[in-house]
Amino acid sequence: AQTVRKPPLLETVWLDLRQAFRALVKRPLYAAIAVLTLGLGIGSATSMFSVIDGVLLKRLPYADPGRLVTAWMGYPNRGQHVNFTDGQYNLWRENNTLFQAVAIYNANAFGHGTLTGDGRPERVSVGTATASLMDVLGTNPVLGRWFLAEEEGSEAGSGAPVAVISHDFWTRMFAARHDVLGKTFELDGINCSVVGVLPENFRLRWLTESPLGIREVASKEIWMPLGQSFDCIGCGSSMYQAVGRLRPAVTYEQATAETLSILESTAFFDDMSVRLVPREEDETRGLGTPLVILLAATGLLLLIACGNIATLSLGEMEGRQQ
């Protein structure tokens, strides 16, 4: 008996692909509906998983993020949680014993300045922070340094005119040149000297868009020392977001009790409390559960898309049998 030679696997796959392609070309409407349906299902599920992976699964890109906390002052009877004033931060910094380092930064959604000088004026996002911020986060610029304590100011406009720039700003404005340190640019009439460049994609919050589409405190193009004209330092405004790094073996309960005892004399109302939130939890802003629900919904959408394709395919098979 003559033996029938079985074609190699790659040849079989190639023949199957050619047959499938010819079948799809003969039925363009079916092919378009199938590709569009499956593409929408896979695209939505992939996009949602990317969000979940970036927000909930990956750890913050800082050293030992489990000891990072965000500090708020709360007034439960009034349903309020407020940021720190500069005076409250100074009191906290000078008297705490359970934090390895504490810092504040002002990077609200409306912190902007205008690049002036040579060329066309350009609007850029600007944040201000204390010299201790990098110690709290456990990270460093990729070029140069962060601010020094002596470069901070005690009132608006008194901070040193030095700047740490984002990686994107460095690439766009200085062509990623490594001799950028010491270069100057004019911001709102102030000649600022570049002393450092931050790592690529550095930001303080990893949920970068609000429901209104406003880019929040996440990614600032220029950072300047506390006390620059973009601050209201010394005016008593609760505008600074406070972060701290707990010492090893210190519990949240211990740190909360100490912070409250330090700041209770500065309370606006009698019912003040202090809330220390793990930074990873604060990053999600309570969106963990809704994001998981959305992931489940997109997974269900993908299943529905697969079911629709299967139904279309069965209909095509029935037609071919007849």
Side-chain angles (χ1 to χ4, degrees):
Q2 186 176 2
T3 303
V4 179
R5 184 182 67 86
K6 186 177 180 180
L9 177 61
L10 289 178
E11 184 179 343
T12 303
V13 172
W14 173 244
L15 291 174
D16 289 342
L17 289 175
R18 289 178 58 190
Q19 174 64 25
F21 180 74
R22 285 198 298 267
L24 291 176
V25 169
K26 290 178 181 179
R27 299 171 178 82
L29 182 60
Y30 164 76
I33 293 174
V35 170
L36 181 62
T37 303
L38 199 58
L40 286 174
I42 294 175
S44 60
T46 303
S47 300
M48 198 62 228
F49 179 78
S50 298
V51 173
I52 293 289
D53 182 53
V55 174
L56 300 181
L57 301 182
K58 287 184 178 178
R59 304 199 74 185
L60 297 180
Y62 307 130
D64 197 4
R67 293 196 286 128
L68 286 177
V69 299
T70 301
W72 305 86
M73 292 178 299
Y75 296 94
N77 294 337
R78 295 164 177 78
Q80 298 177 350
H81 283 91
V82 297
N83 290 322
F84 279 41
T85 66
D86 56 294
Q88 289 168 326
Y89 162 71
N90 288 328
L91 194 63
W92 186 38
R93 175 177 56 83
E94 293 167 1
N95 294 280
N96 86 82
T97 60
L98 301 180
F99 288 87
Q100 184 174 314
V102 295
I104 54 174
Y105 61 90
N106 174 19
N108 61 69
F110 306 102
H112 292 86
T114 302
L115 288 177
T116 51
D118 297 334
R120 191 174 70 177
E122 180 182 346
R123 193 81 164 159
V124 291
S125 56
V126 182
T128 55
T130 57
S132 56
L133 182 61
M134 291 295 109
D135 292 333
V136 171
L137 298 180
T139 187
N140 288 293
V142 292
L143 280 180
R145 60 172 176 85
W146 186 249
F147 314 124
L148 304 176
E150 54 267 27
E151 291 171 336
E152 296 178 20
S154 58
E155 58 184 23
S158 64
V162 295
V164 176
I165 59 177
S166 71
H167 194 279
D168 288 343
F169 188 81
W170 172 50
T171 302
R172 179 166 55 88
M173 297 298 297
F174 296 98
R177 294 176 55 180
H178 287 267
D179 61 349
V180 67
L181 301 181
K183 300 288 185 183
T184 61
F185 60 89
E186 190 173 297
L187 181 66
D188 286 354
I190 303 172
N191 284 320
C192 302
S193 176
V194 177
V195 296
V197 178
L198 290 169
E200 189 173 5
N201 296 324
F202 170 86
R203 54 185 184 266
L204 290 175
R205 286 197 183 278
W206 296 79
L207 290 177
T208 62
E209 297 285 342
S210 74
L212 298 178
I214 301 174
R215 291 191 66 82
E216 297 180 351
V217 300
S219 180
K220 292 295 181 181
E221 296 174 278
I222 299 171
W223 286 92
M224 304 188 75
L226 210 69
Q228 268 300 339
S229 56
F230 306 93
D231 276 325
C232 187
I233 192 165
C235 68
S237 174
S238 299
M239 63 185 299
Y240 299 108
Q241 299 193 22
V243 291
R245 176 174 290 275
L246 296 173
R247 294 186 184 277
V250 172
T251 66
Y252 283 88
E253 291 76 15
Q254 292 171 329
T256 300
E258 182 190 68
T259 304
L260 178 59
S261 67
I262 293 171
L263 298 180
E264 58 185 354
S265 63
T266 67
F268 302 134
F269 305 103
D270 294 336
D271 61 332
M272 188 186 88
S273 64
V274 168
R275 184 177 176 221
L276 298 182
V277 183
R279 189 67 182 179
E280 290 178 311
E281 179 183 322
D282 183 54
E283 290 286 340
T284 65
R285 296 185 175 185
L287 294 178
T289 300
L291 286 175
V292 171
I293 293 174
L294 281 175
L295 179 62
T298 54
L300 180 61
L301 178 63
L302 179 59
L303 288 178
I304 292 174
C306 293
N308 289 337
I309 298 297
T311 303
L312 286 172
S313 299
L314 287 174
E316 286 293 310
M317 290 172 62
E318 184 67 24
R320 291 178 66 186
Q321 281 185 342
Q322 294 177 359

